[in-house]
């Protein structure tokens, strides 16, 4: 559970490992090999055994790719990781390129030649991504070849960590709110509506949600790695490593679920011959599509049928996440009090702050895990949105700096994710101005009412408007979905500039997290989680509107707020939020913390 601060890779990984990969490539007659970040289950956070990109290059970001050719190589990252990649990867081995602007397809067109054979592992690439890669290879005159034996895995050999085998346990009705049999019947009906007779499910979050189970195969997420075939009548075949099956699991699953092993999966896919099968090209790799096609199944490409039902939390899940956020808010408030008192007298370093916050969450006695490794960045580190402190990079706060802390916990009844930016000593006027602009964006998105059918991309500009009017912006999304004791990042909903066709629906939980980052100086982000509320009338209005209920409860640092920049409506909104924090969290904390909380949440 505890967060560690050692670095699992270093720039020597490229010089050490690329020659081994090239030897394995040559043995298969390959001139190159594609290395995506994704694993067999398209996980965001990877088990150590599946973190192939990190082993090959040293780069540990959550998005990226590499191409290894006989005489050169390149690593690809997006704008979040341009600084990190140069710190972690040997530029003498890998050319560093942009993942978004052209990316791997553009590189294949220019770096490969006619007649060359470039290998790929079909278990690691989505069919859509593979289509773009094959088109680029065709333009270059080279050939993409699927491999049965991944040359990177061969090179890794016995040094590769073992696959995780965490026990798969039941997730009880008092926190799930719906029996698995009811979920399976409901999702099976959705499969039938799409013209399918069965659906192949490979996303660990869908497996966990549909069968009301949880596991521990993926770091910081209670997810079991496995696969399932769901029939339209609600019966299912679930494929799990026998080492992960607990004694009471078969009875929990019931007699409508056949519990089988991963070795049985190819035969089960072959059994779908002649059937219409729904499968998600964004969640399932090309191997599944190729195997189903070879078996004679009729493939129906479509979104994972569990994704939308999973995103719309039921009443029990919403009540649970409220409780989780109250519990978590008390722990966070104790931490913020510590920073405001002891932390101002003896400013901590980043690792000390992370450990202190983790200790407050552990003291609840019910935290199962962190929901992700805590991001804690001061000064220039705060300007890196995904920075995490390490023993080597650890930096001490000092007077006049900001400390950005993005953190969360996993509880049986809910998943939390919250960011606060705290002034250490006296902040500058510029820091306060830009913090207030971020706050105005947060408040605008938190109070908006919107009609049924609205998507997150239609709301994104609300969080950026105040920054835009000052010529400022941020380069990450404004909001992501959050699971119910599942992954801290969950689709299909999101709030971002990028177009999204998924309408926001009641019960969806999303983050609201605008920010501002001044390279080399400081970073600012304010994040609360909020749940979409059902349509309700507005006095004098003609149409009921959806809205938000804020779940996160913790004070916002008023020392960073330029009150004159806030409208009367914004001031009232902030005061109402702080009054709720004071009312709910105050009784849960010690007297000295309560006294401090009363002061920092008083009306502005």
């Amino acid at each position: 559970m505890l967060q560690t601060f050692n670095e699992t890779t270093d720039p020597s990984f490229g010089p050490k490992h690329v020659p081994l990969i090239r030897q394995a490539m040559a043995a298969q007659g390959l001139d190159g090999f594609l290395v995506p970040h994704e694993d067999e289950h398209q996980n965001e956070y990877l088990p150590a055994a599946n973190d192939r990109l990190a082993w090959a290059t040293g780069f540990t970001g959550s998005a990226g790719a590499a191409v290894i050719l006989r005489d050169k190589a390149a690593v690809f990252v997006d704008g979040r990781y341009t600084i990190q990649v140069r710190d972690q990867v040997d530029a003498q081995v890998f050319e560093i390129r942009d993942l978004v602007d052209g990316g791997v397809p553009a590189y294949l067109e220019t770096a490969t030649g006619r007649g060359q054979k470039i290998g790929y592992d079909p278990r690691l690439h989505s069919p859509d991504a593979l289509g773009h890669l094959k088109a680029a290879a065709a333009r270059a005159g080279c050939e993409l070849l699927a491999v049965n034996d991944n040359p990177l895995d061969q090179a890794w050999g016995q040094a590769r960590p073992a696959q995780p085998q965490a026990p798969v346990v039941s997730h009880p009705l008092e926190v799930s709110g719906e029996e698995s049999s009811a979920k399976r019947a409901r999702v099976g009906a959705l499969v039938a509506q799409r013209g399918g007779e069965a659906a192949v499910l490979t996303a660990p979050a869908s497996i966990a949600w549909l069968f009301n189970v949880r596991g521990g195969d993926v770091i910081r997420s209670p997810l079991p790695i496995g696969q399932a075939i769901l029939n339209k009548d609600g019966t299912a075949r679930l494929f799990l490593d026998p080492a992960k099956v607990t004694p009471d699991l078969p009875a929990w699953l019931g007699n409508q679920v056949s519990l089988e092993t991963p070795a049985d999966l190819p035969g089960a896919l072959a059994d779908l011959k002649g059937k219409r099968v729904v499968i998600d090209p964004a969640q399932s790799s090309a191997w599944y599509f190729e195997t189903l096609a070879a078996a004679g199944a009729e493939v129906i490409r479509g979104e994972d049928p569990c994704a939308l039902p999973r995103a719309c939390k039921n009443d029990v899940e919403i009540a649970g996440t409220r409780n989780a956020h109250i519990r978590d808010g008390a722990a966070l408030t104790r931490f913020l009090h510590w920073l405001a008192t002891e932390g101002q007298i003896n400013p901590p370093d980043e690792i000390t702050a992370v450990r202190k916050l983790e200790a407050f969450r552990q003291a609840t006695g019910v935290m199962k895990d962190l929901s992700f490794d805590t991001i804690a960045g001061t000064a220039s580190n705060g300007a890196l949105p995904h920075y995490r402190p390490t023993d080597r990079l650890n930096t001490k706060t000092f007077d006049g700096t900001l400390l950005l802390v993005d953190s969360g916990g996993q509880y049986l009844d809910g998943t939390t994710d919250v960011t606060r930016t705290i002034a250490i000593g006296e902040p500058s006027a510029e820091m306060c101005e830009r913090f207030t602009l971020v706050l105005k964006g947060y408040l605008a998105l938190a109070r908006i009412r919107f009609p049924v059918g609205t998507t997150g991309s239609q709301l994104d500009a609300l969080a950026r408007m105040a920054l835009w009017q000052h010529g400022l912006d941020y380069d990450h999304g404004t909001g992501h979905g959050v699971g119910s004791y599942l992954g801290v990042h969950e689709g299909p909903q999101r709030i971002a500039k990028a177009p999204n066709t998924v309408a926001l629906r009641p019960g969806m939980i999303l983050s609201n997290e605008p920010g501002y980052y001044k390279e080399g100086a400081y970073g600012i982000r304010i994040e609360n989680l909020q749940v979409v509320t059902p349509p309700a009338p507005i006095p004098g209005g003609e149409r009921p509107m959806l809205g938000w209920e804020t779940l996160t409860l913790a004070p916002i640092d008023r020392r960073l707020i330029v009150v004159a920049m806030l409208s009367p409506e914004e001031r009232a909104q902030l005061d109402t939020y702080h009054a709720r924090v004071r009312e709910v969290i105050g009784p849960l904390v010690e007297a000295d913390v309560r006294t401090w909380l009363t002061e920092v949440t008083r009306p502005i």
Side-chain angles (χ1 to χ4, degrees), residues 259-377:
L259 188 57
E260 305 178 43
T261 75
D264 299 319
L265 180 62
L269 296 177
D271 291 342
L272 296 173
K273 178 180 180 179
K275 292 188 176 182
R276 298 182 300 278
V277 181
V278 174
I279 185 168
D280 189 343
Q283 294 287 348
S284 302
S285 71
W287 179 86
Y288 290 93
F289 288 80
E290 293 167 2
T291 302
L292 287 168
E298 181 184 339
V299 173
I300 301 173
R301 291 184 173 218
E303 183 181 79
D304 180 335
C306 294
L308 193 55
R310 184 179 75 236
C312 299
K313 309 300 184 288
N314 60 45
D315 290 343
V316 170
E317 290 173 315
I318 294 172
T321 201
R322 286 193 190 107
N323 291 331
H325 279 84
I326 291 170
R327 185 186 312 121
D328 197 73
L332 181 58
T333 297
R334 291 184 176 101
F335 169 74
L336 294 173
H337 168 259
W338 171 78
L339 269 180
T341 52
E342 294 180 43
Q344 299 292 329
I345 298 169
N346 182 22
D349 59 35
E350 295 161 341
I351 289 178
T352 299
V354 170
R355 285 177 171 154
K356 194 72 174 180
L357 177 53
E358 185 174 56
F360 282 123
R361 283 197 168 103
Q362 281 188 305
T364 65
V366 292
M367 184 177 77
K368 297 293 187 180
D369 198 352
L370 302 175
S371 56
F372 55 96
D373 280 347
T374 299
I375 297 167

Side-chain angles (χ1 to χ4, degrees), residues 49-92:
N50 296 350
D51 206 351
R52 296 175 174 90
L53 183 63
W55 184 81
T57 68
F59 173 65
T60 61
S62 63
V67 178
I68 299 173
L69 303 175
R70 286 182 180 270
D71 57 351
K72 55 190 169 185
V75 63
F76 303 79
V77 301
D78 63 29
R80 296 172 295 173
Y81 296 113
T82 52
I83 296 175
Q84 177 179 329
V85 70
R86 297 184 187 280
D87 183 60
Q88 293 184 316
V89 174
D90 189 332
Q92 298 298 311

